[in-house]
Amino acid sequence: MMLPALLFTASTTLVASTPTEPVQAPATQLTFTGQYAPPDEPFSLWSRSPAVTFTEAYPVGNGRIGGTMYAGVPVERLILNESSLWSGSRQDADRAGAAAKLPEIQKLLREGKNAEAEALVNQTFTCAGAGSNHGAGKDVPFGCYQVLGEMELTFLEPDGTPMKGEIKNYRRALDVKQGAAFVRYEHDRATITRRVYANIAKQVLVYRIAAGGKSHAISFDARLKRSERATCTSQGNDGLLLSGSVSNGKGGEGVTFSARLKGEQQGGTITCKDGVLSVRGANDVTIVIAMGTSYDGTITGQWAGPGHAAATLQQCETAIATGYNELWKEQILQQWKPVFDRTTVDLGGKEKAKLPTMERLKAVANGESDPQLAALYFDYGRYLMISGTRANSMPLNLQGLWADQVQTPWNGDFHLNINLQMNYWPSPLVSLADYSTPLGVLLQSLVEPGKKTAQTYYGAKGWVAHTITNPWGFTSPGEDASWGSSNTCGAWLANQCYEVTTFTQDLEALRKIYPALKGAAEFYVDVLVEDPKSKALVTPVSNSPENAFKLPDGKTAHTCMGPTIDQQIVRDLFANTAAAARALNLDPDFAKVLDEKRTKLAPTRVGKHGQIMEWLEDYDEVEPQHRHVSQLYGLYPSAQINPYGTPELAQAAKVTLERRGDAGTGWSMAWKAAMWARLGDGDRALKLLTKLWTPSKDAGGAPTSGTYENLWSAHPPFQIDGNFGAVAAMAEMMVQSYREKEGEDYTVHLLPALPKAWPNGEVHGLGARGGLYVSLHWKEGKLEHAHVYRGNNQGGNVRIRYPHPLKAKTSDGNDAGGAYQDGVFMFRLEPQKTVEVEVVN
């Protein structure tokens, strides 16, 4: 689905456009000359020209509020976002009487009349009302994540006339290690630098403008703007306030919002009138922007109500009183660096960082090797995680935190049939497990509405959620059977939250999500039905996400019983819930029920092409190269299929991936890369990632899947899950951890899928299941040494798999013991201790 987008022109007239349409700047007499040196920091995105589209601009954020910097001259645009600015409202979208139709739907499915069953699902088993309105839900109850507005700065000559003359040596950059975007250029003997970042402690965006070489060189007019439902007023001599509301989807006012700007200058003057803040002849200027909404706090844990405007005033005044230098120190030393430095990666090739980012993308697309671009992309994904989410904020949506439209593509919602989960795949892998907190809060928020949905549609205990959700607790099926009736999406979310605790070993976090795990498991215990052919237990009515199959009579359908992904998700859910119950000393009888039910689930099977079957019957796909590879959930993110425990299924997974092909959307290519990594083929994984890094424009300039200039992933349009999926894939290429066989402890795999193009490198601080953190150094494609640290409070055995003999020693150089069993090196590691592992020469 491709939805029309809205872009602001520099004069703030709105025009319908695609996200790649250039923004027309006002007439100017400026010319750009010169080529300034590359940034000193190689882990930077950079360009020698301003952004003209949203997907060229550089994002900043603190998890709750965000900005996207175009770095334009003479007009700067900073797009403003607040994670809880959603239109819509709570509703009852469950279709009354749906459960009465379930027996008839199941009867048709048992008779092989899938097309007829699907027609009945569309008539009686979808949501009531408009649902997501086919991805255009800003004015219906489902709602839409929306841009809050933008700050526009029009830079002027000191006398207030338009800028003229030359802009020399322009360069803009995003330094991911500092968490800030920059631009510098020379104009009329002055060197102008501008910097923007999102301060975490003070909850403001900080925008700094400084001039060197000439006094009183900074003059501009500032405005706060939004395309609809907002007004901007002056606040004293140094501030602006943008206030408004979004629709509740029922003809009334929904969430209200505010964005407040406050400025402080050194030298010159600052005045404010009629919604325009004017600075003339300043030497430096600090602008702070605070944002808030009246969202009810169900997910964010914070509710400002109508007081958000007052809260933004306090935030701005506190930030200005702190002073710019202290704000910047606070950002770097206390807030950003300690988190970002939890993980580091070096793949060599830093000389390529001297090229602008887009030139590097084009070179890689033409076959050049650039391992440092891979490292930059990895760090950029971590940057987006730290910037885009944290406790007391919304989870990362389809665009993370950043949106420039009031009708965001696909509503910028939480897609539960892979996309939301993929957003958080890398968090525990790159030592950011605590950044998954919003995911667990969202999970818990779905339990109560999901109980009603379970009763209304299935007459079942427990709770259920389908393909899409929002901050308003939407758990009903979507508005079309072809995609909206997947009923294991809430279970997948529960599994994802559980998996985070397998890394952290945090029993309190597990205790918080246990009721949601148990409720999801209760639902499937209640609704699973017997497949008439195999007598195995299967889900009663569902689909394999968004894919269709060919029936023997020539018809096509999506609706079925027990698609493979459902069986795999439920298998994990039952195992995870039972393990959680035992770890918490809860519900022993229920854990036994889950163990027993799990043995009766339909197994993953191999089909006529040697592939993993996607459905209970060995149907052929309508679209063999479909973007979803749902039948391989068991390969990744699960480990039900792996080369050591299930080699036959692993071989069938390879056949499946070959049949699907390497083409796909951005997130699909990232998922396939992770799957190839799990199969131990690093070269194939890198091939997929390289394809993902192809610039997102075809020969005619139309958007394609790949990567935009600011390294955002292209579905297209922009969809951030591809960024996070790729980070997970790269982490899995270097370190993997999973149970190879049921009942075993986790095995940590060192360099399991190292591509030939990364012969030398090192990585520090990757997470592994069992409370472990792993650092590696390799040379000429072989491990030199690894450090394994146990971060939790329980000691235990560590299992390491590497194709060459290993030995272990303690941090003080003593032999740490260890022995081999079935090709796995094992040793004991106590809490808060590190062991160094080396290859035996």
Side-chain angles (χ1 to χ4, degrees):
M1 185 191 316
M2 182 69 178
L3 301 174
L6 293 176
L7 281 176
F8 293 98
T9 66
S11 62
T12 72
T13 301
L14 269 105
V15 292
S17 66
T18 66
T20 55
E21 182 175 322
V23 178
Q24 299 300 317
T28 180
Q29 301 175 29
L30 292 173
T31 57
F32 283 67
T33 63
Q35 286 197 343
Y36 194 62
D40 293 332
E41 174 51 63
F43 286 90
S44 296
L45 289 68
W46 70 281
S47 173
R48 290 194 171 106
S49 59
V52 293
T53 69
F54 186 54
T55 52
E56 296 172 0
Y58 294 147
V60 298
N62 68 7
R64 186 183 68 86
I65 62 173
T68 311
M69 183 192 200
Y70 281 64
V73 185
V75 177
E76 167 69 294
R77 300 175 65 215
L78 183 71
I79 306 299
L80 304 177
N81 292 113
E82 206 277 359
S83 72
S84 65
L85 185 55
W86 268 78
S87 64
S89 54
R90 299 191 184 281
Q91 62 169 321
D92 183 359
D94 290 340
R95 186 183 293 273
K101 296 295 181 180
L102 183 59
E104 187 177 353
I105 294 168
Q106 290 176 315
K107 179 175 181 295
L108 290 169
L109 291 173
R110 284 193 293 269
E111 294 172 351
K113 298 178 180 179
N114 296 69
E116 292 81 359
E118 185 165 327
L120 186 57
V121 169
N122 274 320
Q123 293 168 16
T124 66
F125 215 74
T126 54
C127 61
S132 72
N133 202 35
H134 302 287
K138 80 179 184 72
D139 294 320
V140 301
F142 185 88
C144 174
Y145 180 63
Q146 297 192 13
V147 62
L148 191 148
E150 72 168 279
M151 178 184 76
E152 179 188 273
L153 303 180
T154 303
F155 289 92
L156 305 165
E157 297 294 332
D159 61 3
T161 59
M163 286 182 69
K164 56 185 178 291
E166 287 186 323
I167 300 297
K168 298 179 181 178
N169 298 323
Y170 176 99
R171 186 194 70 202
R172 64 186 176 99
L174 177 68
D175 185 333
V176 300
K177 290 195 172 183
Q178 294 193 49
F182 304 80
V183 61
R184 62 89 58 208
Y185 54 89
E186 299 155 25
H187 177 251
D188 192 21
R189 305 191 314 280
T191 298
I192 306 297
T193 58
R194 288 147 44 190
R195 172 192 288 164
V196 65
Y197 62 94
N199 185 282
I200 299 165
K202 303 299 186 291
Q203 286 296 303
V204 293
L205 299 180
V206 182
Y207 193 103
R208 174 74 164 180
I209 311 167
K214 180 184 177 182
S215 299
H216 308 296
I218 301 170
S219 297
F220 62 84
D221 289 338
R223 297 172 175 84
L224 292 178
K225 298 185 173 183
R226 193 175 198 268
S227 64
E228 64 178 35
R229 303 178 68 103
T231 57
C232 182
T233 57
S234 299
Q235 302 289 299
N237 291 325
D238 60 359
L240 300 172
L241 178 64
L242 181 73
S243 302
S245 67
V246 292
S247 169
N248 67 359
K250 301 172 184 175
E253 182 180 88
V255 170
T256 60
F257 61 86
S258 58
R260 187 182 297 272
L261 177 156
K262 194 172 181 65
E264 181 181 61
Q265 96 291 355
Q266 299 295 321
T269 63
I270 184 168
T271 59
C272 198
K273 183 179 179 181
D274 298 330
V276 180
L277 183 144
S278 299
V279 172
R280 298 291 183 269
N283 298 319
D284 59 67
V285 182
T286 299
I287 295 171
V288 297
I289 303 170
M291 291 172 265
T293 80
S294 65
Y295 174 70
D296 67 15
T298 300
I299 298 172
T300 60
Q302 298 178 353
W303 181 64
H308 53 80
T312 60
L313 176 60
Q314 182 179 14
Q315 289 163 346
C316 284
E317 289 180 341
T318 300
I320 288 292
T322 301
Y324 181 76
N325 289 337
E326 288 304 312
L327 287 173
W328 180 240
K329 271 193 226 174
E330 184 177 71
Q331 168 76 5
I332 295 300
L333 299 179
Q334 299 175 27
Q335 300 168 11
W336 188 265
K337 187 174 174 59
V339 177
F340 192 82
D341 287 352
R342 291 179 188 177
T343 301
T344 63
V345 64
D346 184 354
L347 299 177
K350 290 183 179 179
E351 65 279 357
K352 293 289 183 72
K354 296 178 181 179
L355 295 174
T357 307
M358 180 51 79
E359 290 185 26
R360 298 175 73 183
L361 291 173
K362 291 177 179 178
V364 168
N366 289 329
E368 293 188 23
S369 177
D370 189 348
Q372 203 277 335
L373 179 64
L376 173 61
Y377 196 92
F378 181 87
D379 270 356
Y380 182 58
R382 296 193 304 117
Y383 169 91
L384 293 173
M385 177 74 67
I386 300 167
S387 301
T389 188
R390 67 185 56 236
N392 299 321
S393 73
M394 287 287 178
L396 294 155
N397 64 49
L398 287 171
Q399 294 193 181
L401 175 61
W402 301 276
D404 68 334
Q405 303 165 51
V406 293
Q407 179 54 70
T408 308
W410 295 292
N411 299 319
D413 70 14
F414 307 126
H415 259 56
L416 300 180
N417 65 355
I418 187 173
N419 312 93
L420 176 63
Q421 292 89 339
M422 182 181 285
N423 282 351
Y424 286 90
W425 282 353
S427 67
L429 300 175
V430 296
S431 298
L432 294 174
D434 47 330
Y435 282 70
S436 287
T437 300
L439 206 62
V441 178
L442 176 66
L443 172 71
Q444 295 168 71
S445 78
L446 299 179
V447 172
E448 287 306 313
K451 287 179 180 178
K452 181 178 176 301
T453 299
Q455 273 292 316
T456 304
Y457 286 85
Y458 305 91
K461 299 175 184 177
W463 70 276
V464 66
H466 295 81
T467 308
I468 55 174
T469 193
N470 58 16
W472 311 119
F474 188 94
T475 54
S476 309
E479 58 265 32
D480 194 286
S482 65
W483 58 267
S485 59
S486 295
N487 68 22
T488 51
C489 299
W492 189 345
L493 180 61
N495 286 340
Q496 174 81 13
C497 293
Y498 173 83
E499 285 301 324
V500 174
T501 70
T502 68
F503 286 83
T504 64
Q505 302 289 289
D506 185 342
L507 287 180
E508 287 310 306
L510 182 60
R511 196 179 305 278
K512 287 180 181 178
I513 65 169
Y514 178 73
L517 283 167
K518 181 181 177 182
E522 286 175 329
F523 172 77
Y524 295 101
V525 167
D526 220 16
V527 302
L528 291 174
V529 297
E530 189 177 88
D531 171 39
K533 290 186 178 179
S534 67
K535 307 304 180 184
L537 294 179
V538 298
T539 50
V541 54
S542 191
N543 59 39
S544 187
E546 303 176 36
N547 204 3
F549 50 88
K550 299 176 183 178
L551 291 162
D553 61 5
K555 296 178 181 178
T556 63
H558 306 78
T559 300
C560 62
M561 296 167 62
T564 298
I565 185 174
D566 279 13
Q567 305 306 117
Q568 293 172 344
I569 289 174
V570 174
R571 183 173 291 108
D572 272 354
L573 178 68
F574 285 178
N576 295 341
T577 305
R582 291 174 175 124
L584 297 170
N585 294 315
L586 297 171
D587 302 316
D589 292 339
F590 185 60
K592 291 178 182 177
V593 169
L594 297 180
D595 293 341
E596 191 235 334
K597 291 283 186 182
R598 191 165 177 265
T599 64
K600 298 179 179 179
L601 291 170
T604 300
R605 295 183 295 159
V606 179
K608 59 192 174 188
H609 303 293
Q611 90 289 4
I612 299 292
M613 288 168 53
E614 188 164 357
W615 298 277
L616 284 175
E617 301 292 335
D618 199 2
Y619 298 124
D620 283 330
E621 310 95 327
V622 172
E623 188 181 347
Q625 283 78 48
H626 196 272
R627 60 194 174 276
H628 284 266
V629 197
S630 301
Q631 64 272 44
L632 296 190
Y633 164 94
L635 174 64
Y636 197 88
S638 180
Q640 295 173 36
I641 302 170
N642 71 78
Y644 301 97
T646 59
E648 299 84 2
L649 292 180
Q651 178 58 37
K654 288 183 181 181
V655 173
T656 305
L657 287 170
E658 293 287 3
R659 284 172 53 79
R660 272 298 200 262
D662 291 345
T665 59
W667 64 263
S668 176
M669 290 187 282
W671 191 13
K672 293 172 187 174
M675 291 176 177
W676 281 111
R678 185 56 61 87
L679 291 170
D681 193 336
D683 290 332
R684 188 62 175 270
L686 184 57
K687 179 182 177 183
L688 265 298
L689 293 174
T690 302
K691 193 174 180 66
L692 172 62
W693 297 329
T694 299
S696 176
K697 288 183 181 177
D698 64 16
T704 60
S705 58
T707 294
Y708 295 111
E709 183 174 337
N710 67 0
L711 294 189
W712 276 342
S713 171
H715 182 281
F718 161 44
Q719 202 167 293
I720 205 166
D721 40 20
N723 288 93
F724 296 122
V727 173
M730 283 187 276
E732 295 275 348
M733 292 159 76
M734 295 181 282
V735 172
Q736 294 176 19
S737 59
Y738 56 86
R739 286 191 171 95
E740 295 178 348
K741 297 177 182 178
E742 190 168 338
E744 285 185 347
D745 287 337
Y746 299 113
T747 299
V748 179
H749 300 243
L750 305 182
L751 301 178
L754 186 70
K756 296 183 183 69
W758 301 352
N760 306 306
E762 58 184 280
V763 64
H764 300 272
L766 291 183
R769 289 173 174 85
L772 304 175
Y773 297 90
V774 181
S775 299
L776 303 173
H777 184 276
W778 67 93
K779 187 175 182 180
E780 296 179 356
K782 294 182 179 180
L783 179 72
E784 292 227 314
H785 57 80
H787 288 88
V788 182
Y789 170 75
R790 187 179 291 283
N792 65 320
N793 295 320
Q794 292 183 342
N797 289 331
V798 176
R799 296 166 51 89
I800 302 286
R801 185 178 288 278
Y802 186 70
H804 301 287
L806 300 173
K807 61 181 180 181
K809 62 182 181 181
T810 62
S811 55
D812 55 9
N814 294 323
D815 185 0
Y820 270 90
Q821 180 179 335
D822 298 328
V824 175
F825 182 58
M826 296 187 295
F827 56 89
R828 184 168 179 82
L829 184 58
E830 298 301 330
Q832 316 300 317
K833 297 294 183 180
T834 299
V835 163
E836 182 176 357
V837 177
E838 296 178 335
V839 176
V840 177
N841 293 321

